[in-house]
Amino acid sequence: MSSTDESASPADRPATGPVPEPDRPPLGTAMPRWLPRAMVMALALVAAFQLGTWAFHQLTSLLINILIAFFLALAIEPAVSWMAARGMRRGLATAAVFLGLLVASAGFVTLLGSMLAGQIVNMVEDFPKYLDSVISWINQTFHTDLSRLEVQDSLVHSDWLRRYVQNSATGVLDISAQVLGGLFQLLTLTLFAFYFAADGPRLRRALCSVLPPARQAEVLRAWEIAVDKTGGYLYSRGLMALISGVAHYVLLQWLGVPYAPALAVWVGLVSQFIPTIGTYLAGALPMLIAFTVDPWYALWVLGFVVVYQQFENYMLQPKLTAKTVDIHPAVAFGSVIAGTALLGAVGALIAIPAVATLQAFLGAYVRRYDVHDEARVSGHRRRAPGPVLVRVRKALRLPNEETAGPDVIAPAEPLPGEEGGATRAEPGGEEPGGEGPQGRDQSS
């Protein structure tokens, strides 16, 4: 009934309108859940990169020392292994090798130091005589009127000498700090090299213990190649030092320069084992000593150093280095340039053995194929006959050869083994296949 329907409460009545939805933020205003995590991860990566870059720059000198020590350990590895194979403990053998190197270096430095000190004293005492000879030569050659007193007075009261003395006085502390830093760096390098050489087998075993058996063989093979190539590089440098020392000894002995053997050893070692500037350092000392004998002898030494350096750079060093280290001379030269650009003098010193080791190691994994013996491979190019030769050939060609084409001569009879092949072309006959002269024209 209608009365009962009207008496029903509003809550009991069924809903006739749309149900309201809960309140939601507008579309696009809510932050995704992954965004905070991604921002934190990006900031962490940037911070880690900055920290790693800072640590790498701070440890660059240490890493370079470790690299030099590793190659030094590879260089003395054959001697240490030879002594250890004959019953000597590996640590004791390494110490003996280092002691021998230390004694040889100390003796060489002491000999050169005493020689250099004596020659400097002689030069200071004889400097007025040298200056008088130079001034007299200038006066005779250029018709001037110079005197030694005027030259000495101008030198003593010159501005550049005063500035040089002031800079030298202020830079004494810097030089002392550099000397102490160099000694500490030498000690660090020696310790790392000693540990690498003495604990070589233990180091290889620790490195191979974290690799699968296949990788272990590759690592041991690479280590052996590095030892061979580094030893070959040092052998080539030692041989070039010997040749250079003998050549300069002959020159200095011929000129009558004192201490010729010591100067020859100085030139040989410094020019080969100090890259880039070693040549100039090696040639400066013999020129200085030769100047004490005769100023013109210094020019002779300078000219010989320049000529021999060109001979060594373009003829001796590329061939000898390529044979001992087994790399192409152009690759050796490019590796030295690249090593100098990356690590300076250290990179130039270790570039060739590093590249030789990498080349020999990768050579086992590069597949090679046989090359056809063609003219283009051997460097000879085929040349087409000139127009005059073509005309001569056409003039000497027989009448029956003209039907076979401009450059093709038909065989007189079938070749051996070609029973069903081409037959002799008759002048007026038909080709095989019965096409007649028309077919012969098409074939030509």
Side-chain angles (χ1 to χ4, degrees), residues 127-155 291 295-296:
F127 181 75
K129 182 178 67 175
Y130 300 142
L131 187 58
D132 288 337
S133 62
V134 172
I135 290 175
S136 62
W137 178 81
I138 294 175
N139 291 333
Q140 293 176 3
T141 304
F142 299 100
H143 304 286
T144 57
D145 190 12
L146 298 178
S147 62
R148 179 164 58 87
L149 297 178
E150 293 178 356
V151 175
Q152 290 179 351
D153 185 71
S154 61
L155 289 175
F291 185 83
W296 290 105

Side-chain angles (χ1 to χ4, degrees), residues 110-186:
T110 303
L111 178 62
L112 284 180
S114 60
M115 177 199 68
L116 186 60
Q119 292 299 318
I120 289 176
V121 171
N122 294 334
M123 286 184 62
V124 172
E125 293 177 353
D126 297 338
F127 181 75
K129 182 178 67 175
Y130 300 142
L131 187 58
D132 288 337
S133 62
V134 172
I135 290 175
S136 62
W137 178 81
I138 294 175
N139 291 333
Q140 293 176 3
T141 304
F142 299 100
H143 304 286
T144 57
D145 190 12
L146 298 178
S147 62
R148 179 164 58 87
L149 297 178
E150 293 178 356
V151 175
Q152 290 179 351
D153 185 71
S154 61
L155 289 175
V156 170
H157 297 87
S158 60
D159 295 335
W160 67 268
L161 182 61
R162 188 181 299 108
R163 289 194 299 267
Y164 177 77
V165 172
Q166 293 176 357
N167 295 332
S168 300
T170 56
V172 170
L173 296 178
D174 296 337
I175 295 176
S176 302
Q178 291 178 1
V179 170
L180 293 177
L183 292 176
F184 179 76
Q185 188 175 5
L186 180 62

Side-chain angles (χ1 to χ4, degrees), residues 249-260 263 289-290 292-294 297:
Y249 170 76
V250 172
L251 173 69
L252 296 175
Q253 192 69 26
W254 177 67
L255 294 176
V257 178
Y259 304 102
L263 289 175
I289 304 302
T292 61
V293 180
D294 191 343
Y297 286 176

Side-chain angles (χ1 to χ4, degrees), residues 379-402:
H380 302 287
R381 298 182 60 185
R382 296 180 179 178
R383 296 182 178 180
V388 178
L389 185 59
V390 172
R391 292 178 181 178
V392 173
R393 288 181 179 179
K394 288 183 178 180
L396 297 177
R397 187 173 299 161
L398 297 177
N400 62 346
E401 296 176 358
E402 296 179 357

